């Protein structure tokens, strides 16, 4: 355990109402500096943050904080009715200030304001410094995903500056942020004061952490250093574990071989004993006495050899548990049959320029936060000719940036079957297993899924549709994906024979897709096509 920790987990278990266990006897702690919390999708990272924030209660065990928690959820972008003031966490104070300004002298308003008479001015200054709209009454629906996240993080910073002394909990804060916005966040984190726990797959952000914590298989391991140092340490540990496993397997093979050789010798001895008995002139009592002695000796020998084989097998089992063999999503996309010259969509800029999406092309729609990339996609998908373009195929699959497309009240299987109603449930279960959704998880309510699980199910619903889409439209698809799952997504999309139109601020991801072109959207709504 770390000295002077900000958060301590005491044997914490958490199970959802349907009995699914999200965390099982987790113990550990986070320090008072910056901690990056990592782990595979579905490991329970978001659930752990919600437990620390007090939004969930452990089924058993206890969470202890030094102070309070200030939590920024992963799905902050989904509350479209929230205002900028809500994101900043100052709505009650703003309402009280405005009531007082309108002449309402209720003492309750003054109690709410406290010492925050200038909160609107301080908020506007921080928003402006971050390059964000300063109107406190603007709704989330008018902001881009990146602007929403940055505004919420600015609220955490505002509360920290007010001396709240809370442990800041950020869940995937770089989702939807373009390069410039990420740099602003990185700068904020570099100068962070106080305890900060960040769940992220953003390697650049994880490099800014003082410590790295990994949640894996019910265990929380904390390492003193950034993510790259943790990975180097882990590689050394894994190489040692692999060597131990190889040695244990070699020992098991040797013990099994010796057990077989010994059994052959014992059998040979028994055959010889029976032959000697048949030819012996000794009296029967003497023969039986020697036979009993031999059987006891051979039984003892067998028992000793069986113990050695059992011990060797147990050593292999223990060594195997130390060697990681993580599951990854495996996406095998069907061929949608798109000819090379088939026109699938037309994008139209504000200046009237048109760009055609045709055949199995891979195109990226890029541009800074707030220029309207998601708006272009949504208008394009609305159907019919529009100012931003027109779809020329009905077989389109869309994964929005705000992953709110899943019906909350249904089970995972029911949600996926909506896109493939003619596929037998058993076959859908087999296909869902490729997305690491297996067994009882297929029958879980969508509302109980973690962010990573929700994304995998939304992706499965999209890619398992029948008939398959001719055009895939993906808005920030790597949000919430761990590195291994991103690798598999790249492999699948690289082999896909339909057209792909993707919005992403993940430059490394776009480079790996093998793009045919990048379509740049500027602040005036004009499009520029850059062929690769």
């Amino acid at each position: 355990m770390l000295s002077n920790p900000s958060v301590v987990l005491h044997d914490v278990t958490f199970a959802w109402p349907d009995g699914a266990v999200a965390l099982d006897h987790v113990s550990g702690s986070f320090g008072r500096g910056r901690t990056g919390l990592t782990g595979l999708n579905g490991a329970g990272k978001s659930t752990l943050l919600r437990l620390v924030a007090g939004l969930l209660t452990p089924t058993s065990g206890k969470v202890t904080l030094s102070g309070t928690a200030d939590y920024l959820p992963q799905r902050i972008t989904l509350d479209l009715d929230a205002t900028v003031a809500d994101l900043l966490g100052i709505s009650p104070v703003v309402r009280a200030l405005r009531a007082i300004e309108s002449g309402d002298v209720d003492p309750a308003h003054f109690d709410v304001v406290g010492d925050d008479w200038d909160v609107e001015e301080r908020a506007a200054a921080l928003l402006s410094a971050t390059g964000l709209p300063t109107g406190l009454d603007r709704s989330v629906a008018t902001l881009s995903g990146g602007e929403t996240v940055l505004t919420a993080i600015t609220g955490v910073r505002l509360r920290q500056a007010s001396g709240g002394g809370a442990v800041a909990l950020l869940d995937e804060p770089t989702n939807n942020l373009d390069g410039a916005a990420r740099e602003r966040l990185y700068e904020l984190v570099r100068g962070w004061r106080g305890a900060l726990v960040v769940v992220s797959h953003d390697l650049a952000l994880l490099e800014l952490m003082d410590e790295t914590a990994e949640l894996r298989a019910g265990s929380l391991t904390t390492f003193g250093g950034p993510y790259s140092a943790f990975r180097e340490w882990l590689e050394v540990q894994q190489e040692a574990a692999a060597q131990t496993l190889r040695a244990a397997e070699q020992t098991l093979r040797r013990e099994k071989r010796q057990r077989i050789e010994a059994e052959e010798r014992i059998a040979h001895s028994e055959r010889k004993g029976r032959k000697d008995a048949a030819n012996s002139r000794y009296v029967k009592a003497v023969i039986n006495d020697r036979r009993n002695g031999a059987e006891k000796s051979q039984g003892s020998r067998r028992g000793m050899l069986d113990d050695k084989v059992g011990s060797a097998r147990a050593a292999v089992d223990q060594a195997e548990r130390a060697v990681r063999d993580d599951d990854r999503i495996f996406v095998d996309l069907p061929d949608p049959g798109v000819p090379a010259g088939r026109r699938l969509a037309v994008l139209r800029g504000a200046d009237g320029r048109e760009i055609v999406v045709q055949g199995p092309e891979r195109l990226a729609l890029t541009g800074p936060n707030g220029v309207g990339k998601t708006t272009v996609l949504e208008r394009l998908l609305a159907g019919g000719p529009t100012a931003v373009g027109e779809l020329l195929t009905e077989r389109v699959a869309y994964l929005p940036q705000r992953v709110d497309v899943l019906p909350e009240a249904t089970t995972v299987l029911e949600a996926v079957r909506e896109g493939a109603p003619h596929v037998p449930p058993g076959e859908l279960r087999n296909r869902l297993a490729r997305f690491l959704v297996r067994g009882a998880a297929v029958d879980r309510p969508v509302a109980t899924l973690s962010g990573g699980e929700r994304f995998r199910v939304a992706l499965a619903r999209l890619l398992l549709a029948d008939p398959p889409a001719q055009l895939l439209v993906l808005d920030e698809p790597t949000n919430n994906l761990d590195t291994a799952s991103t690798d598999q997504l790249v492999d699948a999309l690289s082999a896909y024979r339909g057209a792909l139109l993707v919005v992403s601020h993940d430059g490394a991801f776009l480079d790996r897709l093998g793009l045919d072109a990048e379509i740049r959207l500027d602040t005036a709504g004009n499009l520029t096509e850059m062929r690769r």
Side-chain angles (χ1 to χ4, degrees):
M1 183 179 296
L2 304 175
S3 60
N4 298 318
S6 62
V7 179
V8 180
L9 308 167
H10 307 267
D11 197 30
V12 172
T13 294
F14 178 78
W16 296 105
D18 66 351
V21 178
L23 297 170
D24 191 13
H25 297 287
V26 174
S27 294
S29 60
F30 301 125
R32 294 183 179 273
R34 300 164 297 190
T35 301
L37 178 57
T38 66
L40 296 177
N41 287 138
K45 303 183 296 297
S46 296
T47 301
L48 181 57
L49 288 195
R50 293 172 68 189
L51 286 165
V52 174
L55 301 177
L56 297 174
T57 302
T59 305
S60 63
K62 185 172 65 172
V63 179
T64 303
L65 280 76
S66 59
T68 59
D70 194 338
Y71 172 58
L72 176 63
Q74 185 179 122
R75 301 176 66 205
I76 190 72
T77 59
L78 299 185
D79 188 1
L80 301 183
D81 295 328
T83 65
V84 168
D86 292 330
L87 291 177
L88 295 174
I90 60 173
S91 291
V93 179
V94 170
R95 286 194 295 268
L97 281 170
R98 293 177 180 175
I100 293 171
E101 290 170 356
S102 67
D104 188 342
V105 293
D106 186 336
H109 297 322
F110 291 85
D111 291 338
V112 171
V113 173
D115 296 328
D116 288 330
W117 293 95
D118 63 341
V119 69
E120 291 182 275
E121 291 76 12
R122 288 189 289 115
L126 278 175
L127 290 170
S128 178
T130 315
L132 295 167
T134 58
L136 298 182
D137 296 323
R138 289 189 61 176
S139 71
V140 168
T142 67
L143 303 176
S144 70
E147 288 173 328
T148 300
V149 173
L150 269 181
T151 299
I153 294 172
T154 299
V156 176
R157 182 184 179 188
L158 179 65
R159 294 187 291 275
Q160 289 279 335
S162 298
V167 179
L169 309 169
L170 309 184
D171 197 351
E172 297 288 359
T174 60
N175 282 357
N176 311 313
L177 299 187
D178 61 21
R182 289 189 184 211
E183 285 300 329
R184 291 197 292 271
L185 174 61
Y186 298 157
E187 190 60 32
L188 175 63
V189 170
R190 289 187 186 99
W192 200 276
R193 298 289 184 271
L196 171 67
V197 180
V198 179
V199 169
S200 182
H201 297 120
D202 185 323
L203 299 183
L205 178 59
L206 293 174
E207 278 305 291
L208 303 179
M209 300 294 109
D210 303 309
E211 295 165 342
T212 300
E214 184 189 40
L215 183 61
R216 177 186 172 83
S219 177
L220 184 66
T221 302
T222 303
F223 175 84
Y227 186 71
S228 61
F230 167 72
R231 291 299 306 179
E232 291 176 2
W233 171 82
L234 185 60
E235 287 175 6
V236 172
Q237 296 295 312
Q238 283 297 288
E239 179 57 33
Q243 290 179 359
T244 300
L245 175 58
R246 288 193 292 270
E249 289 174 336
Q250 184 177 4
T251 299
L252 177 58
R253 288 193 295 270
R254 184 178 65 250
E255 294 298 343
K256 285 182 175 180
R257 185 173 61 251
Q258 291 178 353
R259 175 68 174 83
I260 292 172
E261 292 172 351
E263 190 63 38
E264 290 175 348
R265 289 194 297 270
I266 292 172
H268 175 73
S269 176
E270 289 176 342
R271 288 195 299 272
K272 186 176 184 301
R274 287 193 296 269
K275 181 178 179 181
D276 289 345
N279 299 327
S280 176
R281 297 179 180 176
Y282 289 112
V283 295
K284 187 175 182 180
V286 174
I287 293 173
N288 288 338
D289 185 60
R290 289 190 176 184
R291 180 181 297 165
N292 292 336
E295 288 175 351
K296 289 180 180 179
S297 175
Q298 290 160 1
S300 176
R301 175 67 172 163
R302 283 193 177 101
M304 181 181 66
L305 293 170
D306 288 342
D307 289 343
K308 286 186 176 182
V309 171
S311 297
R313 183 174 288 112
V316 169
D317 292 341
Q318 182 177 0
E320 283 179 338
R321 287 192 292 271
V323 176
R324 302 190 174 198
D325 184 19
D326 294 326
D327 285 342
R328 293 162 61 180
I329 62 173
F330 177 77
V331 188
D332 185 14
L333 300 184
D335 187 347
V338 180
R342 170 70 188 276
R343 292 161 58 94
L344 300 174
V346 175
L347 293 175
R348 187 175 298 115
D351 57 359
R353 180 178 183 180
E354 292 187 346
I355 298 174
V356 176
V357 180
Q358 64 182 26
E361 288 189 321
R362 280 131 177 78
L363 306 176
L365 179 62
T366 63
N369 281 134
V371 298
K373 300 184 295 298
T374 295
T375 300
V376 167
L377 295 184
E378 291 175 345
R379 290 180 178 174
L380 179 69
L381 294 165
T386 68
V388 301
E390 180 180 4
L391 287 176
L392 304 176
T393 177
E394 295 180 351
R395 288 167 55 185
V396 180
Y398 175 49
L399 184 68
Q401 183 182 122
R402 296 178 169 100
V403 188
D404 54 356
V405 295
L406 297 175
E408 297 281 316
T410 67
T411 66
V412 169
L413 182 61
E414 291 168 344
V416 175
R417 282 203 74 189
E418 288 184 1
H422 303 299
V423 178
E427 176 60 25
L428 275 183
R429 286 178 180 273
N430 291 336
R431 296 180 185 180
L432 278 168
R434 300 174 182 176
F435 291 81
L436 309 185
V437 183
R438 306 185 180 104
V442 176
D443 299 313
R444 282 180 59 189
V446 167
T448 67
L449 301 179
S450 69
E453 291 169 331
R454 186 179 295 269
F455 180 87
R456 288 205 305 276
V457 172
L459 188 62
R461 189 179 190 226
L462 178 96
L463 299 180
L464 298 181
D466 185 27
Q470 293 180 328
L471 172 63
L472 294 181
V473 181
L474 310 178
D475 196 353
E476 298 291 354
T478 59
N479 281 357
N480 311 318
L481 282 190
D482 57 41
T483 304
S485 297
T486 299
D487 291 343
Q488 285 287 2
L489 181 60
V490 168
D491 292 342
L493 296 179
S494 298
Y496 181 55
R497 295 181 180 274
L500 173 66
L501 178 60
V502 58
V503 169
S504 179
H505 292 118
D506 188 339
F509 171 69
L510 293 179
D511 289 341
R512 295 173 61 195
L513 284 182
L515 295 175
D516 295 296
E518 179 180 340
I519 304 171
R520 184 79 175 173
L521 179 67
D522 64 21
T523 54
N526 299 316
L527 299 174
T528 303
E529 184 178 19
M530 295 170 283
R531 283 280 158 182
R532 296 193 175 188

